[in-house]
Amino acid sequence: MTTSAFAAQGADLELVGIQKRFPGFTAIEHLDLKIPPGSFFALLGPSGCGKTTTLRLVAGLEEPTAGRILIGGEDITGKKPYQRPVNTVFQSYALFPHMTVLENVAFGLRRRRLDEPVAKAHEALRLVELDHLAARKPQQLSGGQQQRVALARAIVNRPALLLLDEPLGALDLKLRRQMQLELKTIQEEVGLTFLHVTHDQEEAMTMADTVAVMNKGRIEQMGAPEELYELPKTAFVANFLGQSNLFTGPVVGSTSEAIAVGVAGQRIVVPTARAHRHVGEVTIGIRPEKLSLHLSAPAVDPARNTMGPGRVIDVSFSGVSTQYLITVPHVGTLIVFAQNMAFGPVAEEGGEVWVSWDIEHGFGLEDEPADTPRFEADTTTRSIAAQRRASLITELEEV
Amino acid sequence: MTTSAFAAQGADLELVGIQKRFPGFTAIEHLDLKIPPGSFFALLGPSGCGKTTTLRLVAGLEEPTAGRILIGGEDITGKKPYQRPVNTVFQSYALFPHMTVLENVAFGLRRRRLDEPVAKAHEALRLVELDHLAARKPQQLSGGQQQRVALARAIVNRPALLLLDEPLGALDLKLRRQMQLELKTIQEEVGLTFLHVTHDQEEAMTMADTVAVMNKGRIEQMGAPEELYELPKTAFVANFLGQSNLFTGPVVGSTSEAIAVGVAGQRIVVPTARAHRHVGEVTIGIRPEKLSLHLSAPAVDPARNTMGPGRVIDVSFSGVSTQYLITVPHVGTLIVFAQNMAFGPVAEEGGEVWVSWDIEHGFGLEDEPADTPRFEADTTTRSIAAQRRASLITELEEV
Amino acid sequence: MVPIVYTFIFSFNDSQKSNITWRGFTFDKWLNVCNVQNGAVCEAFGNSLIIGASATVAATALGTMIAIAIVRYRFRFRSKVSLLLFLPMATPEVVLGAGLAAQFLSVGVPKDIVTIILAHTMFCISFVVVTVKARVASLDPALEEAGRDLYGSPGQVFLRITFPLLLPGILAAALLSFALSFDDFIITNFNSGAVTTFPKYIYISASRGIPAEANVVASAVFILALVIVVSAQVSSAARAKRLAKSG
Amino acid sequence: MAFAAFATTTSEAEQVPRRKSPVALLLLLPGILYLVLFFLTPLISLLLTSFQAPSEFGDIGQYTYAFRWENYLQVVTDYLPHILRSFGFALIATVLALVFSYPLAYFIGVTARPWPLAQSLMLVLVIAPFFISFLLRTLAWKQILSDESFIITSLKAVALMAPDAHFTGTPAAVIFGLTYNFIPFMTLPLYTTLERLDLRYLEAASDLYAHPVEVFRKVTIPLSMPGIVAGTLLTFIPAAGDYVNASRDFLGGPDSQMIGNVIEANFLVLQNYPAAAALSIILMSVILIIVSIYVKRAGTEELL
Amino acid sequence: STGGATKPKAATDKSAAEKSIRWDNWALYIDVDAAGKYPTLDAFTKEAGIKVKYTEAVDDNNTYYGKVKDQLALGKDIGADAVCLTDWMVGRLIRLGYTQELDHANIPNLANLLPSLKDVGFDKGRKMSVPWQGGFAGICWNKEKLPGGLASVEDLWDPKLKGRVGVLSEMRDTMGLIMQDAGVDVSGDWGDNEFNAAIDVLKKQVSDGQVRNIKGNAYKEDLINGDTLAAIVWSGDIVQLNAENGDKWDFLVPEKGGTLWNDNFVVPVGSTHKKNVEELINYYYDPAVAAEVAAYVNYITPVAGAKEAAMAIDPALANNQLIFPDDATLAKAHVFRTLTGAEEQKYGAAFQSILLGS
Ligand SMILES: Nc1ncnc2c1ncn2[C@@H]1O[C@H](COP(=O)(O)OP(=O)(O)OP(=O)(O)O)[C@@H](O)[C@H]1O
Ligand SMILES: Nc1ncnc2c1ncn2[C@@H]1O[C@H](COP(=O)(O)OP(=O)(O)OP(=O)(O)O)[C@@H](O)[C@H]1O
Ligand SMILES: NCCCCNCCCN
Ligand SMILES: [Mg+2]
Ligand SMILES: [Mg+2]
């Protein structure tokens, strides 16, 4: 077994009150983070939110303006990159083009003057199944192979903490999914702490033990993937991690069990335990796959919320499931996902439908509804044709 | 309305017995294709299968080794690119960097000495909502905007046929989905024939009226997206367009309605109409989302096929749905998708399960089972860790 | 930098025959550059300009054609052609100059401005090829295809797409050629016959003291070039900044 | 800018497969013919000249075609010191130019990256010397460093130079001149590679436990090798054949004459054409041999 | 690549149409005023209507020849209509047929040519060449740095002067002085032994670093900037340098002997302005003009009657030994004997190899 060589256990990482200012720009406002040893931690967030900056701070490639960084309990804030027990798999891989694959992998070992760098490098290459290409130059490898060499080059050092900055970003979808599986398997095998940065929500959810969603230099929410997905705290998380149907309205009634929110004259019930705000205006949500479509008004069921009638304005088949866009007057456009368990759509475009969902599946956000930062439409990159469609929807709604 | 300027109707395209040989390599063996006028046609296939070559042949940028190309019934095989009523949106956009957006769009009109090139170019830019950027240079535009300029530059010529060579390939996922919508809307608006090349199956299915799946220089199957997805003819199509569970076995019984296939001692029934081969060894399949999971052996139901017991070897949560990998002894590994309509997985990793599906949902392939070109695992880019997992599965199966 | 400052300062020296010791400040030399010694400085300078311009035009045209051929086409003797292009760059100037001189002598060609231009064109070609080649290689062939696709005939595509896109490379090559030609002395010395170029003028004058007028001409060229280059750099930097902002 | 000429074109993206076409010939022919006519034939005529013998009863400078290979023996015995000195001077000047240029190019190309304007202005300063005749600059040095000049007298005053020592006309002066004149030729190719140096490699190296010194030795230097090779060639080749710096009218003296001066003297003064030609051929051959060995060892063959 | 056996043909004269002359000469060889103009030349232009482009293009006989020989061999224009070169080089040019025959009818003042110069070995009857100026090669030193002065060539080898000594790249002057220092009569019958002994002396001084600068007329720059403190030089130059740079130097024809030479006008084969040049020569053979030039350049004038004319300008001038040497002065200087072609090749190469060092 090759595992033996990588017996070193991962260490935990702690960021305390980290702030990072660039001239004229504050990339990270105030960041506290604790990653347990041996875990696969995914840092997720939109472009420019500060993910790479966070990683570079941990690696020592940037200095924090304020705050402390601890690895395995030891404060390493002042240490130089080459003194830190941390290695990075860069998005661009940054494989040294003038060295062979083997030399690349042995580089770190040689710098630390460890014994048998070549043997250990071969072992790491065997782990990523590339030992037969040890003599090649990086340019002679495919993207997927390069990614694995970068991984081997980092892992071979048995760092307490492995940083991965979108290592899969450059791969096409198919290869990417395959690599995700492998990366996860390798992490389980070597038992190191992985801090994985990505902006692909599916990647984060399928790979990580813990996911943190970052936004504008802050961690918005952090937890197990299912926890985050099923109970998002903010509108940003609700829409960044998958899609959500969100409604805003006043709390019109509440028991210890549940609160009722008035949305366009309909009472929508959400379990108290799943709602972060219990009085005043609140925003509540439901995931598209939790919605059931009905072609006639469903019977009243106290365990379910109902909404409708609405009109189907778009049906789009994507293989596994079909996506329906439904406009409900005075509420807005709802998205419904229905798995294609049978042939053909459940509802036709233009048809009248109702939707319902189990009360237990709703969630209530923590955001002030006023400044709920809904995911804004990127109007500058929307064509007139697409905008016309949008305005048609609005017209339709107002009828 | 701006539509008026683009009144020219799309023409149909016909490729008759096209062959294309490069020195030392035959890119296209024998290709027959007919695209109806005004349709949105997607050419889908893996990298290197000949999609770009096909497009370049139609555009006149390559000459076919054999065969004829007809547009609107007229043979244009011998014509030079600049004599063909065809325009291309290149993957890299190929916007002229030394000209403004407006000059780019007016270029084709000017070459044909048409009246009022500037006015028409502005009109086309308005269609893609970029008229306010007419004076910019392409480098000053975002990726999405460049893509739209490329589209305007082609559309403004009102070509009988518009070729799009992975125009969305360079965009990130989010922008890509948005652009797909716009492209489709614009096509509907201008009514031209679009021949769209992609290797993204979801893109092909959501956008096109007709999808053709190409493999190694041949069209494997062609039809409406749902038709192709629900009734794939070959293993290649079954696995390239989404994922499939495939089983091979002898036909052990048949009626006019259905055939029964023996798979590892179980009888699997497939409707005759949905099976391409009715005797001997056949390969049959079922889509992962059509499968239902059972925690105990389901009651016998003549309308459903059942398989099991098997063991869950992987559960992976991806938000909307959860993917289960189930090993059934002597059959192999099955994939099951279950929409997360409730919280938590239906089955736990390691648990014993059965699967069942509606007989109507199965399909039978046309391929000779012997040479069924299963989607080969890309062993060269699979790590040892992932392979170990695979071998574990095999072991498990043999127990 | 020091010699440049020195040259510049001594262009204001109120010197007489030799310009070695400082004799006081004067603008006279700048005002009367072409008046001394029957305008020998200016004549030499003029010759250098003519030679530089002609060699630049010829070398740029020939070199650009070769660069396009090398990047875009396959042909036999490829490696031989590359070698032939590399050799002039790897040949010391004395050898080039002496070789050509021997050649002109044996064929009986009198040396004059034409032989200088021929010689300069020769050693500039390789540099042009190197410069333009990089540009051609980075030119996306899809742009030309797009041009053809958009109803451009081959001639129109070259004129409106290929040429304008190669232009920066061609201009850079031309600038380089001109600089190389303008400053060449060794090859010129062997092949100039009675014609005096600016560097040759300086070389000859070196034996009897460079007149301050030579410093004037050199300083003027230097300042002019500096102004051109700096303003080009500044404006391109400004453009880059604008681009970054609007991007 | 013209610096592109010094750029190494190693990493050109491989284009679509190239086509065969008669157009290629049409494009190549004029230029290639030109080079054959004005580069290749002169070389051949030089080769022929190098074997000539003095005409019997001829006056000074009169020779006839022959195959006198002894000419080579003769020039080597007569001028071996000059041949060795040329390559020695060129080598020292190249090394010195590299030592001065590398930090300069690194500063402009890497350190100054956040300030593109400053970067291009510094670059202008590097190429500035191109615009003032190099003869004039060299002569300026001759005056600036003459025995009674401010610099030399002050050096002597502070005893950094022996009182009876002098600078112009010495080998040191020639090497100084060569180094000075070729620094831009060294700096520009270095700059073009360093400017494109991907700093992520340096970060990756420091992430992999390399000290700054090791980063420089193991990563920066190897990655800038194409620039180093291009720069050293662009310096070494012309420096080995230069005769202006070593000319007695410029910075040289009788004990610092280089092979270029010998060729010039034989060609223009002594009228000994065969000797001049033989020396030229020797010079060129040695340079070609050195270059090809060097380029092989440095692993940058694509450069050619 | 060699000069052919056929001699080039003289170009057709266009003097009638083109009233101009291009004249290549040595530095410090003509009268110049404070404004940088040449007074005698300007007067000539005014008088004859012929423009003269005067260029100080000659630094050394050999390098000048090297620059123009190919054109001469082809009979093409070398960019000059008149050149003043030293006797031996003029001899070579005439031998090779690179000069045009002068029409003495156009130079009536040629009658003023000093009788001693009327008939020379290399040009019987002065058909091809006419003297411009003559002079001595001797030694000079910087008076400020070397107040003790120098007396002989031997003194140049004083170790105190190490690296600050210059000699001329003109073989006949440098070797001539060194040979005479060793007691050889350079105008007499000497051979390889005498020459080689002197070469050894020079070689030693060069390789020891005693002699740093070996130059043509450019030696004057080294005197001015101080690199050279003592040197073998040409007589008149020093007077002119003193006039321009303050009285810093002294000149002396050594007791053991200096050299005496003349530089002569020739018209190169390719020139189309021979008649203009003849007019120019005629002008400068006017004793008054000759005296004016001599007064400035301090070289020996070949024009009879110039001394009288000089007397009119300034009696002191007439007694200047550099311009009008008396017999005692002349006795110290000797003309370097004519060399055969083979000797020229042999001695030239030996001397050149010292210039190139080793
Ligand atoms: N050196 C710098 N100087 C100024 N601003 C910087 C610097 N580096 C990063 N930033 C800014 O800090 C912010 C965070 O950048 P960062 O690279 O961490 O984002 P990211 O989350 O990794 O984004 P992406 O997904 O695009 O990689 C960005 O707005 C970026 O422009
Ligand atoms: N000029 C050419 N000479 C030789 N082979 C070529 C040439 N052009 C394309 N090919 C080969 O033909 C095959 C088909 O190429 P094509 O570009 O059409 O693929 P594609 O389907 O567009 O692939 P991708 O999705 O990667 O763009 C490939 O194997 C390619 O290498
Ligand atoms: N400055 C005028 C010097 C003239 C020297 N003529 C050369 C004499 C060679 N013996
Ligand atoms: Mg990032
Ligand atoms: Mg393609």
Side-chain angles (χ1 to χ4, degrees), chain A residues 19-22 25-29 48-50 53 214 216-218:
Chain A
Q19 189 194 44
K20 177 65 191 174
R21 287 212 180 105
F22 291 113
F25 189 82
T26 303
I28 295 177
E29 198 55 81
C49 72
T53 305
M214 198 167 178
K216 295 183 186 152
R218 290 180 310 109

mmCIF file of all heavy atoms in Angstrom, chain A residues 19-22 25-29 48-50 53 214 216-218:
data_model
loop_
_atom_site.group_PDB
_atom_site.id
_atom_site.type_symbol
_atom_site.label_atom_id
_atom_site.label_comp_id
_atom_site.label_asym_id
_atom_site.label_seq_id
_atom_site.Cartn_x
_atom_site.Cartn_y
_atom_site.Cartn_z
ATOM 1 N N GLN A 19 -8.131 40.672 8.368
ATOM 2 C CA GLN A 19 -8.536 41.750 7.473
ATOM 3 C C GLN A 19 -7.438 41.920 6.430
ATOM 4 O O GLN A 19 -6.255 41.746 6.734
ATOM 5 C CB GLN A 19 -8.677 43.049 8.269
ATOM 6 C CG GLN A 19 -9.314 44.157 7.441
ATOM 7 C CD GLN A 19 -9.141 45.511 8.084
ATOM 8 O OE1 GLN A 19 -8.071 45.845 8.560
ATOM 9 N NE2 GLN A 19 -10.218 46.287 8.067
ATOM 10 N N LYS A 20 -7.850 42.197 5.208
ATOM 11 C CA LYS A 20 -6.847 42.416 4.162
ATOM 12 C C LYS A 20 -7.240 43.600 3.295
ATOM 13 O O LYS A 20 -8.287 43.587 2.630
ATOM 14 C CB LYS A 20 -6.703 41.165 3.293
ATOM 15 C CG LYS A 20 -5.733 41.328 2.132
ATOM 16 C CD LYS A 20 -4.291 41.539 2.586
ATOM 17 C CE LYS A 20 -3.389 41.968 1.461
ATOM 18 N NZ LYS A 20 -2.035 42.311 1.934
ATOM 19 N N ARG A 21 -6.413 44.605 3.349
ATOM 20 C CA ARG A 21 -6.645 45.783 2.502
ATOM 21 C C ARG A 21 -5.588 45.844 1.421
ATOM 22 O O ARG A 21 -4.403 45.718 1.697
ATOM 23 C CB ARG A 21 -6.516 47.063 3.326
ATOM 24 C CG ARG A 21 -7.661 47.299 4.252
ATOM 25 C CD ARG A 21 -7.907 48.805 4.426
ATOM 26 N NE ARG A 21 -9.030 49.001 5.322
ATOM 27 C CZ ARG A 21 -8.916 49.400 6.587
ATOM 28 N NH1 ARG A 21 -7.732 49.692 7.076
ATOM 29 N NH2 ARG A 21 -9.976 49.532 7.338
ATOM 30 N N PHE A 22 -6.043 46.043 0.183
ATOM 31 C CA PHE A 22 -5.116 46.388 -0.898
ATOM 32 C C PHE A 22 -5.190 47.889 -1.081
ATOM 33 O O PHE A 22 -6.189 48.491 -0.681
ATOM 34 C CB PHE A 22 -5.508 45.684 -2.200
ATOM 35 C CG PHE A 22 -5.297 44.206 -2.157
ATOM 36 C CD1 PHE A 22 -6.370 43.329 -2.194
ATOM 37 C CD2 PHE A 22 -4.017 43.682 -2.080
ATOM 38 C CE1 PHE A 22 -6.178 41.970 -2.155
ATOM 39 C CE2 PHE A 22 -3.823 42.320 -2.040
ATOM 40 C CZ PHE A 22 -4.904 41.456 -2.078
ATOM 41 N N PHE A 25 -8.582 49.193 -1.907
ATOM 42 C CA PHE A 25 -9.625 48.182 -1.925
ATOM 43 C C PHE A 25 -9.494 47.262 -0.724
ATOM 44 O O PHE A 25 -8.413 46.754 -0.442
ATOM 45 C CB PHE A 25 -9.537 47.370 -3.216
ATOM 46 C CG PHE A 25 -10.697 46.444 -3.415
ATOM 47 C CD1 PHE A 25 -11.889 46.909 -3.940
ATOM 48 C CD2 PHE A 25 -10.611 45.107 -3.035
ATOM 49 C CE1 PHE A 25 -12.965 46.074 -4.093
ATOM 50 C CE2 PHE A 25 -11.695 44.260 -3.192
ATOM 51 C CZ PHE A 25 -12.875 44.744 -3.722
ATOM 52 N N THR A 26 -10.588 47.064 -0.030
ATOM 53 C CA THR A 26 -10.564 46.120 1.085
ATOM 54 C C THR A 26 -11.124 44.793 0.598
ATOM 55 O O THR A 26 -12.318 44.671 0.311
ATOM 56 C CB THR A 26 -11.392 46.644 2.277
ATOM 57 O OG1 THR A 26 -10.872 47.918 2.643
ATOM 58 C CG2 THR A 26 -11.276 45.700 3.458
ATOM 59 N N ALA A 27 -10.261 43.803 0.491
ATOM 60 C CA ALA A 27 -10.698 42.515 -0.070
ATOM 61 C C ALA A 27 -11.382 41.681 1.003
ATOM 62 O O ALA A 27 -12.346 40.975 0.735
ATOM 63 C CB ALA A 27 -9.510 41.770 -0.646
ATOM 64 N N ILE A 28 -10.868 41.746 2.243
ATOM 65 C CA ILE A 28 -11.469 40.979 3.335
ATOM 66 C C ILE A 28 -11.671 41.911 4.509
ATOM 67 O O ILE A 28 -10.734 42.562 4.976
ATOM 68 C CB ILE A 28 -10.566 39.792 3.729
ATOM 69 C CG1 ILE A 28 -10.480 38.820 2.554
ATOM 70 C CG2 ILE A 28 -11.111 39.084 4.958
ATOM 71 C CD1 ILE A 28 -9.578 37.660 2.807
ATOM 72 N N GLU A 29 -12.929 41.959 4.973
ATOM 73 C CA GLU A 29 -13.275 42.932 6.004
ATOM 74 C C GLU A 29 -12.953 42.391 7.390
ATOM 75 O O GLU A 29 -12.209 42.988 8.155
ATOM 76 C CB GLU A 29 -14.778 43.255 5.892
ATOM 77 C CG GLU A 29 -15.200 44.519 6.583
ATOM 78 C CD GLU A 29 -14.391 45.726 6.103
ATOM 79 O OE1 GLU A 29 -14.710 46.281 5.038
ATOM 80 O OE2 GLU A 29 -13.434 46.106 6.802
ATOM 81 N N GLY A 48 -14.399 37.323 -7.137
ATOM 82 C CA GLY A 48 -14.002 38.575 -6.504
ATOM 83 C C GLY A 48 -14.397 38.696 -5.053
ATOM 84 O O GLY A 48 -14.199 39.739 -4.433
ATOM 85 N N CYS A 49 -14.938 37.629 -4.457
ATOM 86 C CA CYS A 49 -15.417 37.757 -3.075
ATOM 87 C C CYS A 49 -14.277 37.620 -2.090
ATOM 88 O O CYS A 49 -14.459 37.845 -0.891
ATOM 89 C CB CYS A 49 -16.501 36.737 -2.784
ATOM 90 S SG CYS A 49 -15.892 35.062 -2.659
ATOM 91 N N GLY A 50 -13.097 37.220 -2.536
ATOM 92 C CA GLY A 50 -11.963 37.153 -1.617
ATOM 93 C C GLY A 50 -11.469 35.743 -1.327
ATOM 94 O O GLY A 50 -10.674 35.543 -0.410
ATOM 95 N N THR A 53 -7.730 35.468 -2.122
ATOM 96 C CA THR A 53 -7.006 36.262 -1.141
ATOM 97 C C THR A 53 -6.882 35.503 0.171
ATOM 98 O O THR A 53 -5.814 35.470 0.793
ATOM 99 C CB THR A 53 -7.730 37.608 -0.940
ATOM 100 O OG1 THR A 53 -7.877 38.235 -2.209
ATOM 101 C CG2 THR A 53 -6.956 38.502 -0.013
ATOM 102 N N MET A 214 -18.939 32.429 0.909
ATOM 103 C CA MET A 214 -18.300 33.710 1.159
ATOM 104 C C MET A 214 -18.926 34.747 0.235
ATOM 105 O O MET A 214 -19.283 34.454 -0.900
ATOM 106 C CB MET A 214 -16.816 33.564 0.832
ATOM 107 C CG MET A 214 -15.944 34.628 1.421
ATOM 108 S SD MET A 214 -14.221 34.120 1.280
ATOM 109 C CE MET A 214 -13.453 35.554 1.988
ATOM 110 N N LYS A 216 -18.458 39.055 -0.567
ATOM 111 C CA LYS A 216 -17.843 40.354 -0.296
ATOM 112 C C LYS A 216 -16.928 40.328 0.920
ATOM 113 O O LYS A 216 -17.045 41.165 1.822
ATOM 114 C CB LYS A 216 -18.914 41.416 -0.118
ATOM 115 C CG LYS A 216 -19.696 41.656 -1.401
ATOM 116 C CD LYS A 216 -20.703 42.755 -1.238
ATOM 117 C CE LYS A 216 -21.557 42.859 -2.486
ATOM 118 N NZ LYS A 216 -22.900 43.383 -2.189
ATOM 119 N N GLY A 217 -16.028 39.361 0.967
ATOM 120 C CA GLY A 217 -15.030 39.349 2.032
ATOM 121 C C GLY A 217 -15.526 38.849 3.372
ATOM 122 O O GLY A 217 -14.807 38.929 4.361
ATOM 123 N N ARG A 218 -16.775 38.356 3.453
ATOM 124 C CA ARG A 218 -17.287 37.808 4.721
ATOM 125 C C ARG A 218 -17.807 36.399 4.468
ATOM 126 O O ARG A 218 -18.221 36.066 3.376
ATOM 127 C CB ARG A 218 -18.440 38.664 5.251
ATOM 128 C CG ARG A 218 -18.038 40.030 5.762
ATOM 129 C CD ARG A 218 -19.257 40.802 6.259
ATOM 130 N NE ARG A 218 -20.323 40.765 5.252
ATOM 131 C CZ ARG A 218 -21.448 40.061 5.385
ATOM 132 N NH1 ARG A 218 -21.681 39.358 6.488
ATOM 133 N NH2 ARG A 218 -22.355 40.072 4.431
#
